[in-house]
Amino acid sequence: MAKPVILCVDDEPAVAAAVARDMRARYRADYRVVSATSGADALETVKELKRRDEQVALFIADQRMPGMAGTEFLASAMELFPAAKKVLLTAYADTQAAIDSINSIGLDHYLMKPWEPPEQMLYPLVDDLLESWAASAPLAYEGIRVAGTLWSARAHTVKDFLSRNRIPYQWLDVERSSDAKALVGSISDVALPIVFFPDGSWIGDPEESAIAEKVGLHTRASSPFYDVVIVGGGPAGLGAAVYGASEGLRTLMVEREATGGQAGTSSRIENYLGFPKGLSGADLAKRATDQALRLGTEILTAVEVRDIRLEGSNKIVTLSDGSDVTCKALVLAMGVATRKLDVPGMGKVAGAGVYYGAALTEAPNYRDQPMFVVGGANSAGQGSMLFSRYASKVTMLVRGSSLTQTMSQYLIDQIEATPNIDVWTRTEVTAVHGERSLEAITILDRDSGEERTLDAAAMFIFIGQQPHTELVADLVARHPSGFILTGPDLVEDGERPRGWREKRDPMYLETSSPGIFAVGDCRYGSVNRVATAVGQGAMSISLVHRYLETV
């Protein structure tokens, strides 16, 4: 942890140097002494210290400085570091100004110049002030900080990206924290949210790729050629990554958001083999990511695949930075996205009270308030169990007549045993209301036709899936629903897919383009379970080996 700062400012260089010298002589073991020769320079230093999230224990400022008097400097500095102790250096003629500032800015002490000898005139005073400061000083946070407003969709995106990539951060709400407001106010003309990094740098309204590069995530391929490239880092992609690397293939996995996919946002997965007490999706994603990296997979994060084309048997993958990588085999594990809820009012409150998926970063913000969950599958059930820890009441809105056809029994049992979760079947949302954030929702009883408007603090949506397959629409055959056709689904009445030039049928997970495989939720007919996705990812590598034997 960085040492707390003692900041000394005097417009006479000799005096500034003398103050700093005496401070260092006694306090350098526990404090960092910084000096400045003008109030303006000192204030810029204070702003930089705030951006670095360092602590200031003591200000020592000369009163008579041109451009900015000592009391003016202290008044401005205390807005950023209100807990710091404040000492004013004065000549005899300035004592009245010093006395007045005790009431106006909470001055702790004024010190007549000169202060010789310091052992009698300086150190006892400073010892007392530093001891008092240390007794109540908050511990500094040395990680990443995100400053913004709670009802900002962009702030939600940034927080979600950091959280899903398991990067700790501190949230600073500029509307609720004077400290956060002062920190943001030290930077002019920058759009929120602002991400502050431990080295003092910051980025306003950042793209995820910029954050990824700054925090050290791998964002650029190290080689132009791989045996296999995996598009997507959910359970299926991670399964392929682990087995690809472990079986000696040079393997690259490209993930546009965070490894784990939708499963990575699950609060609890109870039915994954080998974990009798269950585990969180984030824990599963971290374990699998660490395993893939240890075995030799190269993982790009916050990188998007923009194009895929064929050159003979080679597959050319164009990444979002404009670079190309070539591979012999390609595994498509793009997963699915939650289907959007298209009802009046969504444009104003999406990301500001209305969220798609579990949105684990937001749930604590709605403690003791009513939350709604839209959907009736496992993801909705897992989300409801998580939200029940915070909400006064969680109400599940389910279009179907029961949960039994769409949800695992263990989750149904847990929901029934949780007193602050209600399940309303045959119910759908027809409108949302709120100008700046969600305030209410209108729901329809599908049996009676009755509509009601209910107060709502937050709504989390889990209403079906849309495959992320637009990228390969012209490359492989797809079902009308958008899911990728593979293996037996490509062969009708003994006829192989159009354009198929191989002397064999497509292998089980192979698409209509030889050497390109599809696994997990983006594949037509796939069972939406984590174990199924992992198994398909692992199986695809054995099929990749069979394919590579022929090229």
Side-chain angles (χ1 to χ4, degrees):
M1 181 178 293
K3 295 178 182 179
V5 170
I6 297 173
L7 178 58
C8 313
V9 53
D10 196 300
D11 65 306
E12 296 183 37
V15 176
V19 178
R21 178 200 63 213
D22 288 345
M23 289 293 104
R24 290 191 182 101
R26 186 172 182 94
Y27 303 109
R28 63 185 172 190
D30 300 311
Y31 295 87
R32 182 163 68 93
V33 179
V34 177
S35 63
T37 55
S38 74
D41 288 347
L43 194 55
E44 285 303 312
T45 299
V46 171
K47 292 177 180 178
E48 180 63 22
L49 292 171
K50 186 67 176 180
R51 289 193 285 268
R52 291 177 179 270
D53 203 28
E54 295 194 47
Q55 292 178 301
V56 176
L58 175 65
F59 293 114
I60 303 178
D62 181 41
Q63 170 61 8
R64 289 194 176 187
M65 293 188 294
M68 182 181 292
T71 49
E72 292 179 80
F73 162 73
L74 291 173
S76 297
M78 65 185 289
E79 292 180 3
L80 297 172
F81 292 97
K85 300 300 180 180
K86 299 169 285 296
V87 173
L88 194 67
L89 296 177
T90 69
Y92 181 76
D94 298 323
T95 53
Q96 188 57 49
I99 292 170
D100 292 343
S101 66
I102 292 175
N103 294 323
S104 62
I105 64 170
L107 188 71
D108 294 291
H109 210 284
Y110 65 90
L111 184 65
M112 300 283 290
K113 297 188 288 187
W115 53 83
E116 295 293 342
E119 289 76 13
Q120 296 179 17
M121 305 299 294
L122 179 64
Y123 295 149
L125 161 68
V126 174
D127 285 348
D128 286 345
L129 292 176
L130 292 178
E131 182 179 343
S132 175
W133 175 84
S136 58
L139 293 175
Y141 177 78
E142 295 190 311
I144 292 171
R145 293 165 295 154
V146 180
T149 61
L150 179 60
W151 309 122
S152 163
R154 280 294 301 145
H156 165 64
T157 298
V158 169
K159 290 188 291 180
D160 195 53
F161 175 78
L162 290 169
S163 177
R164 292 185 61 196
N165 280 285
R166 299 165 289 281
I167 300 169
Y169 68 91
Q170 182 185 55
W171 167 242
L172 305 174
D173 192 328
V174 299
E175 294 181 332
R176 299 183 179 182
S177 165
S178 56
D179 244 14
K181 188 174 182 180
L183 175 61
V184 170
S186 68
I187 302 173
S188 59
D189 300 325
V190 177
L192 295 176
I194 302 175
V195 180
F196 295 89
F197 299 96
D199 63 1
S201 62
W202 49 268
I203 307 176
D205 193 17
E207 296 294 330
E208 289 89 328
S209 57
I211 300 174
E213 287 193 23
K214 187 67 181 176
V215 301
L217 295 176
H218 197 44
T219 60
R220 298 182 186 277
S222 64
S223 171
F225 185 84
Y226 297 85
D227 294 318
V228 60
V229 170
I230 303 160
V231 183
L238 286 166
V242 166
Y243 280 86
S246 68
E247 294 182 13
L249 298 178
R250 184 158 194 180
T251 305
L252 174 71
M253 187 174 78
V254 185
E255 168 52 48
R256 67 178 186 174
E257 292 177 354
T259 56
Q262 282 196 326
T265 67
S266 296
S267 58
R268 203 75 185 162
I269 300 171
E270 303 273 6
N271 56 358
Y272 191 65
L273 184 68
F275 292 88
K277 295 182 179 180
L279 78 169
S280 70
D283 189 22
L284 177 62
K286 182 181 186 304
R287 290 168 180 263
T289 301
D290 291 347
Q291 187 178 19
L293 290 170
R294 181 180 64 81
L295 291 169
T297 297
E298 186 177 335
I299 299 178
L300 305 185
T301 306
V303 177
E304 195 166 358
V305 174
R306 292 286 172 81
D307 183 58
I308 301 171
R309 65 186 189 273
L310 304 178
E311 291 185 1
S313 62
N314 287 332
K315 290 77 179 166
I316 314 299
V317 179
T318 301
L319 305 177
S320 49
D321 64 1
S323 64
D324 286 343
V325 293
T326 301
C327 58
K328 298 176 182 177
L330 187 68
V331 176
L332 303 177
M334 289 98 76
V336 294
T338 301
R339 195 176 301 278
K340 301 300 181 184
L341 180 64
D342 185 16
V343 298
M346 281 294 292
K348 293 182 178 180
V349 296
V354 174
Y355 307 98
Y356 288 95
L360 304 181
T361 58
E362 303 298 342
N365 295 322
Y366 300 98
R367 190 179 298 275
D368 300 325
Q369 299 183 67
M371 298 186 195
F372 289 83
V373 170
V374 183
N378 275 10
S379 55
Q382 291 161 351
S384 296
M385 291 301 301
L386 168 70
F387 303 147
S388 69
R389 304 175 195 170
Y390 304 98
S392 57
K393 174 72 72 177
V394 176
T395 304
M396 296 186 66
L397 306 176
V398 183
R399 282 177 57 91
S401 56
S402 74
L403 296 175
T404 55
Q405 292 182 335
T406 55
M407 188 179 293
S408 297
Q409 188 61 45
Y410 80 89
L411 267 175
I412 296 174
D413 294 341
Q414 289 178 358
I415 289 169
E416 289 178 347
T418 305
N420 66 331
I421 298 180
D422 286 343
V423 180
W424 295 356
T425 58
R426 301 285 296 165
T427 305
E428 63 183 88
V429 178
T430 57
V432 296
H433 311 278
E435 290 299 317
R436 188 162 171 259
S437 63
L438 180 67
E439 298 171 4
I441 63 172
T442 298
I443 62 171
L444 170 69
D445 184 317
R446 301 181 69 202
D447 291 327
S448 68
E450 177 189 358
E451 281 193 325
R452 287 187 291 164
T453 298
L454 307 171
D455 291 338
M459 181 170 69
F460 299 84
I461 301 170
F462 307 81
I463 54 168
Q465 301 173 331
Q466 289 179 305
H468 283 305
T469 59
E470 299 83 1
L471 175 70
V472 294
D474 298 326
L475 188 64
V476 300
R478 300 188 301 163
H479 187 268
S481 60
F483 292 91
I484 298 172
L485 298 171
T486 60
D489 290 320
L490 291 168
V491 180
E492 294 186 12
D493 299 325
E495 292 292 324
R496 293 166 180 163
R498 182 180 302 176
W500 184 265
R501 294 184 175 86
E502 302 294 312
K503 295 179 180 180
R504 57 174 177 80
D505 288 346
M507 290 182 275
Y508 182 65
L509 299 175
E510 195 171 21
T511 70
S512 60
S513 183
I516 299 180
F517 301 84
V519 295
D521 290 348
C522 71
R523 175 180 167 268
Y524 178 71
S526 186
V527 178
N528 295 331
R529 292 291 184 267
V530 173
T532 303
V534 173
Q536 288 181 10
M539 181 181 182
S540 71
I541 296 303
S542 63
L543 301 180
V544 165
H545 278 296
R546 286 172 53 186
Y547 169 76
L548 294 179
E549 291 173 358
T550 68
V551 296

